[in-house]
Amino acid sequence: MKTAIATVSISGDLREKLAAIAAAGFDGVEIFENDFLAFDASPRDVGKMVRDHGLEISLFQPFRDFEGMPEPQRSRAFERARRKFNLMNELGTDLVLICSNVSPLALGGIDRAANDLNALGDVAKEHGVRIGYEALAWGRYINDHRDAWEIVRRADHDQVGLILDTFHSLARKVPNESIRSIPGNKIFFVQLADAPMIDMDLLYWSRHFRNMPGEGDLDVTGFMSAIAATGYDGVISLEIFNDQFRGGSARSISQDGHRSLVYLMDQVRRTEPDIKIEVPSMPPRVEVEGIEFVEFAANEQEASELGAMLSTLGFAKTKRHIAKAVDLWQQGDIRIVVNTDQTGFAHSSYLTHGTNVCDIGLKVSDAKATVERAKALGAAPFSQPVGPGELEIPAIRGLGGGIMHFVDRSGDLAKVWETEFTPLSTGANVINAGLTRVDHVAETMPYEDMLTWLLFNTSLFDTHKTPMVDVVDPAGLVRSQAIENADGSFRVTLNGAENARTFAGRFLEESFGSPVQHLAFECHDIFKTVEALTSNGFKPLVISPNYYDDLDARFGLEEDRMEMLKQRGILYDRDDQGGEYFQLYSPTYAEGFFFEIVERKGGYSGYGAANAQFRIAAQKRHLRHYAMPKR
Ligand SMILES: O=C(O)c1ccc(O)c(O)c1
Ligand SMILES: [Mg+2]
């Protein structure tokens, strides 16, 4: 499998783009003509620059409005093509993409187009180049790969083949199965892009909203499986027109691109086991069974404030690490680790971000295999020296500067809490509040990084994404999307902040990019839980009475029930099947970190999106009214 990416897909000038593309591990590039035109080096020098980066020019594109023109435009188009073939010779590439004609002058007619391509095939042969014909979804007459293939078939020329682009085919819902009858050697090139399902003009959708395979909603895997079935063994190339990518980090977008291709081909291999697909073998997507622990990095002072908050939530400090200043707090199946050690990763995380979640431990089916798959997908393994009596726990670097550890049921790893920790005599008079497990981990990132997070999580773990929802903060929009496994034992919400004045954006800025902004714990009887919390001295976030008036209007709850919610500051939601969701929020801590307590009833599977706006407004009021702990 040879991989490539079009230069349009990422930001920078041509030199910056090439450096990022090479670093991400691609074999080649599609030179988008405008990137070449805007660059001030000769075609020969550009060709050399590409090869000096260890890349090849897999394709030159696009050549527009060629087939089916009347005279004199037809002759002009041939002349134009000759000029570009000369340019390709100098660049050192032998394949050009001709996209279907969009000109109002075009005459149409399948045989006319086939004849033109056949005649151009002769010219191409003189120059030692090949032509690939692609149907644009908005082409004037040709906008379906089945018609483009018919033209290529009738052109019947060795130099003329078909280029398939997932976007054009899937956006128009052309069945993937139609690809299987095309001979693989007549497919000259394959371009891949995904896109979110939005009802929009095709051209606008294509030019602004494409994203990497796996980041959108199109069946790119089905498409690629059909391609694989034709015997195609050429380049697979990303051609992504995306507004955020154009302005994003060239390095990280290129890395995502490479990850998306490895992930895609791994999926294809699993759905088409009989087809030979060259992709490094790797373990399948990892089954996550739950969250084993969440670790905070802190200093002594802030650890005691955090501890006070945990106590009001009903956690007990149960264990201390055998060698380090690391405490374990527990309630139900929840483990919170508070690390104030002056050495190691947690300490450097504290120095960078202040008190923050620096590490998340996941319970997985196979911890070693998780790291192996992560490495195959381009993630970095993590390790630090282990002291006497400590275990080597498989780990990787996550996004946003944190790390992730993986434990499974096998051998020593299952006993890490007994091996590395010694029990403390708690004695404290904290009342257990009935919190049973981590319901979800909520991560905040700049909006333009959301897809990176989405791909990272869904390519590594056996999870799916939920539809994106808009959350209105008084200062701007926050987009929110969840990643979950099938039984809900692993849920992460991604919250993309559009600006730094939103509650989420402010947290990111103040914490220097620390991603985990809140932890939500599950309980099974929120009213009982509140009783225990109150005895522990917990003070919930204060919600506006207006919220409860509206709640009453919307759901018509019984009066006492309504009063109970209002008195206790509990937010409420109900789905169409009658499933119910109860949410209670802690005050904010430090730079806007907080805890949430939720109860799900009757199969409610969402996150209370309808309540988020009112919760955020309350949190912002809280930030204004109460002095935050200073450091
Ligand atoms: O948007 C376009 O014009 C355009 C050009 C070339 C392509 O390969 C393509 O898929 C789209
Ligand atoms: Mg294309």
Side-chain angles (χ1 to χ4, degrees):
M1 172 180 88
K2 269 196 178 170
T3 58
I5 182 169
T7 52
V8 270
S9 313
I10 56 171
S11 70
D13 74 5
L14 197 50
R15 193 184 306 276
E16 292 159 343
K17 290 179 191 227
L18 292 173
I21 291 167
F26 287 94
D27 304 303
V29 281
E30 295 180 22
I31 297 284
F32 219 75
E33 185 167 22
N34 282 351
D35 280 322
F36 165 71
L37 299 181
F39 195 67
D40 61 347
S42 71
R44 274 180 198 285
D45 287 347
V46 167
K48 181 170 180 311
M49 183 168 81
V50 173
R51 284 179 286 279
D52 285 348
H53 278 94
L55 298 165
E56 62 180 36
I57 303 181
S58 314
L59 178 79
F60 178 72
Q61 76 137 332
F63 190 76
R64 297 185 191 274
D65 297 340
F66 167 74
E67 80 284 12
M69 289 301 235
E71 289 297 355
Q73 285 80 10
R74 183 175 183 278
S75 297
R76 278 291 314 139
F78 274 83
E79 190 42 41
R80 199 158 48 88
R82 279 195 182 84
R83 294 275 292 270
K84 298 303 170 188
F85 293 169
N86 285 331
L87 169 62
M88 288 167 60
N89 290 155
E90 292 192 35
L91 281 169
T93 182
D94 79 332
L95 183 63
V96 61
L97 177 149
I98 297 190
C99 50
S100 59
N101 204 324
V102 301
S103 165
L105 299 175
L107 297 173
I110 260 194
D111 283 325
R112 187 193 308 273
N115 287 340
D116 284 349
L117 281 181
N118 176 281
L120 192 64
D122 289 344
V123 183
K125 185 159 189 172
E126 288 163 25
H127 288 79
V129 301
R130 297 176 304 142
I131 302 162
Y133 183 54
E134 173 198 63
L136 292 177
W138 54 90
R140 190 164 176 82
Y141 297 104
I142 304 303
N143 45 42
D144 181 318
H145 70 240
R146 291 169 295 194
D147 292 335
W149 162 234
E150 182 56 21
I151 287 171
V152 167
R153 199 185 64 77
R154 291 191 197 185
D156 190 22
H157 197 296
D158 284 349
Q159 308 304 114
V160 180
L162 183 67
I163 292 185
L164 290 167
D165 178 326
T166 52
F167 182 86
H168 299 297
S169 301
L170 296 173
R172 292 195 75 105
K173 304 194 165 57
V174 180
N176 284 337
E177 300 320 310
S178 61
I179 294 167
R180 291 182 189 251
S181 51
I182 303 171
N185 68 335
K186 290 305 280 184
I187 303 173
F188 279 7
F189 203 75
V190 172
Q191 295 180 316
L192 299 171
D194 203 337
M197 214 25 113
I198 16 184
D199 198 8
M200 183 183 279
D201 168 69
L202 289 172
L203 185 148
Y204 198 79
W205 187 20
S206 174
R207 296 239 175 113
H208 300 274
F209 293 93
R210 290 188 182 205
N211 53 26
M212 304 297 177
E215 293 180 345
D217 301 318
L218 304 179
D219 182 16
V220 183
T221 313
F223 187 98
M224 216 32 237
S225 299
I227 299 262
T230 67
Y232 175 81
D233 67 352
V235 177
I236 55 172
S237 183
L238 298 166
E239 188 199 26
I240 318 288
F241 306 90
N242 179 297
D243 297 351
Q244 273 81 43
F245 295 1
R246 278 182 201 276
S249 143
R251 294 248 164 189
S252 115
I253 302 295
S254 304
Q255 259 175 18
D256 285 354
H258 199 262
R259 170 170 295 153
S260 78
L261 288 182
V262 173
Y263 173 37
L264 174 71
M265 295 316 285
D266 181 59
Q267 296 285 85
V268 171
R269 185 183 42 193
R270 289 172 203 284
T271 55
E272 303 271 333
D274 300 336
I275 301 173
K276 184 178 153 282
I277 290 168
E278 298 162 50
V279 58
S281 78
M282 65 183 93
R285 287 201 304 165
V286 174
E287 275 176 52
V288 182
E289 293 163 8
I291 292 170
E292 178 76 8
F293 69 89
V294 177
E295 178 169 333
F296 286 83
N299 69 2
E300 292 285 337
Q301 159 72 28
E302 288 164 19
S304 86
E305 287 160 17
L306 178 61
M309 171 86 92
L310 289 172
S311 300
T312 66
L313 287 167
F315 282 84
K317 197 200 286 191
T318 53
K319 292 189 174 184
R320 178 158 258 253
H321 194 271
I322 48 174
K324 298 180 192 152
V326 177
D327 292 331
L328 175 65
W329 294 74
Q330 283 182 280
Q331 182 172 188
D333 286 336
I334 311 166
R335 291 187 189 84
I336 305 283
V337 175
V338 180
N339 189 332
T340 53
D341 212 62
Q342 299 288 309
T343 61
F345 175 80
H347 187 59
S348 35
S349 174
Y350 171 76
L351 293 177
T352 311
H353 303 290
T355 295
N356 83 119
V357 172
C358 63
D359 190 352
I360 293 179
L362 297 182
K363 216 178 320 178
V364 294
S365 43
D366 184 337
K368 279 218 180 75
T370 308
V371 174
E372 218 182 294
R373 181 170 175 91
K375 276 168 37 187
L377 288 163
F382 172 85
S383 67
Q384 59 185 352
V386 292
E390 293 176 17
L391 302 174
E392 179 92 50
I393 301 172
I396 61 168
R397 285 182 187 279
L399 299 170
I403 56 178
M404 299 177 101
H405 274 95
F406 305 107
V407 299
D408 58 30
R409 292 168 208 270
S410 75
D412 288 348
L413 289 185
K415 290 183 252 143
V416 55
W417 306 110
E418 281 74 49
T419 319
E420 287 198 18
F421 286 80
T422 49
L424 295 172
S425 50
T426 46
N429 46 359
V430 166
I431 301 173
N432 183 306
L435 307 186
T436 47
R437 57 173 195 135
V438 176
D439 183 90
H440 59 274
V441 175
E443 304 188 301
T444 296
M445 68 281 314
Y447 169 63
E448 59 270 22
D449 295 347
M450 266 183 106
L451 290 173
T452 299
W453 286 72
L454 180 81
L455 184 67
F456 182 91
N457 282 289
T458 52
S459 61
L460 180 54
F461 304 119
D462 186 7
T463 49
H464 60 266
K465 59 175 186 275
T466 64
M468 177 102 84
V469 295
D470 293 340
V471 174
V472 178
D473 180 290
L477 211 59
V478 175
R479 312 280 172 116
S480 187
Q481 182 166 40
I483 295 166
E484 315 167 331
N485 65 359
D487 68 3
S489 57
F490 177 54
R491 301 171 185 267
V492 174
T493 61
L494 306 180
N495 299 282
E498 219 152 61
N499 70 52
R501 284 170 295 120
T502 57
F503 185 64
R506 179 186 182 280
F507 171 76
L508 263 186
E509 198 163 84
E510 298 287 319
S511 67
F512 289 88
S514 172
V516 178
Q517 187 168 9
H518 88 257
L519 292 174
F521 302 128
E522 174 198 72
C523 72
H524 295 296
D525 183 342
I526 191 115
F527 297 110
K528 263 203 185 141
T529 290
V530 171
E531 253 174 59
L533 295 178
T534 309
S535 324
N536 288 333
F538 175 84
K539 298 253 180 316
L541 181 71
V542 178
I543 306 293
S544 164
N546 299 340
Y547 166 80
Y548 292 97
D549 286 345
D550 174 62
L551 204 60
D552 201 17
R554 281 192 293 143
F555 295 115
L557 296 175
E558 284 166 25
E559 209 173 304
D560 334 348
R561 181 102 156 155
M562 199 59 228
E563 206 43 40
M564 280 168 77
L565 295 175
K566 190 172 173 177
Q567 294 290 320
R568 291 160 179 76
I570 298 171
L571 299 157
Y572 177 81
D573 191 26
R574 192 159 73 200
D575 65 22
D576 295 340
Q577 287 74 47
E580 293 180 295
Y581 194 53
F582 300 85
Q583 302 170 275
L584 181 76
Y585 287 92
S586 78
T588 53
Y589 173 82
E591 320 297 357
F593 180 89
F594 58 98
F595 294 99
E596 179 186 4
I597 291 160
V598 303
E599 182 184 354
R600 296 176 184 275
K601 267 189 163 164
Y604 182 97
S605 61
Y607 297 85
N611 293 330
Q613 176 169 0
F614 313 115
R615 178 261 297 174
I616 290 171
Q619 287 170 320
K620 283 194 143 174
R621 272 195 300 277
H622 179 89
L623 277 181
R624 276 199 300 274
H625 291 319
Y626 300 87
M628 287 291 94
K630 290 273 180 309
R631 67 172 54 99

